[in-house]
Amino acid sequence: MEQTILSDNQVRNPDFPSFGLVSIWFGAILTTLTMFTFASPGSEGSYLTLPLVQGMKFLLMAMILASVFYLPLNAQHGVKWAALPLFINVGTLMIVQLVPFTQLWEATRFHWRVGQYEAVVQLVESGQLVVGESGTILLPEEYRMLSPVDGRIAVETIGGVTSIFFFTEQKGPLAFAGYLYRSDSNPPQQGEFLGRWQYVLPKQAHWYYCVSE
């Protein structure tokens, strides 16, 4: 009689499914790698992790399919518990496919460092940072992370309007992205800093996030 009651309790309160536990760990690893890869697209680290992320996404699809077969085979322990791996794996797929990690990271990066960007602008406009013949300035050591490609910013002054570009990534002479400051607050013009702007996002007065080609 006691054995029968114990068995009934086990049916009503089954252990957490091991496949569900595996799905949680797999989902956490894939989500973390995806965040790292798409938080800084074009960086050396993202090139190394991108093939791994793509492979894990393929494996995730296999796990979702396995979750579908797992559900009816383990429904005797409770449908909710049997469906848990499917819920976890589908949830992971939605996160890695739908969450705009690049945009979220870009917004966080700018608002975290906007005070430092504006400090550099003041140094340029006051003449404390002098533009070289190439139209660029090598930033002081404490500000070089603002333009991580090579620690330099590009500066143009035309018609009394000062424009300053902070490079966050660069794949070629015309393929780059970063933050543009314009003293008149107008959007960047095509050809400014040799840019062929495909994407321009206003950040706040004077500031734009720009992607060329």
Side-chain angles (χ1 to χ4, degrees), residues 59-76:
L59 183 57
L60 177 62
M61 299 303 298
M63 292 180 66
I64 290 175
L65 182 61
S67 301
V68 173
F69 289 104
Y70 180 89
L71 178 55
L73 294 176
N74 293 270
Q76 69 273 17

Side-chain angles (χ1 to χ4, degrees), residues 146-157:
L146 301 178
S147 197
V149 172
D150 59 3
R152 293 181 178 275
I153 56 174
V155 181
E156 290 183 357
T157 301

Side-chain angles (χ1 to χ4, degrees), residues 110-111 114-115 118 180 185 201-209:
F110 179 78
H111 288 293
V114 64
E118 292 181 339
L180 173 70
S185 286
L201 176 67
K203 301 301 297 181
Q204 61 183 47
H206 302 287
W207 289 96
Y208 296 87
Y209 177 70

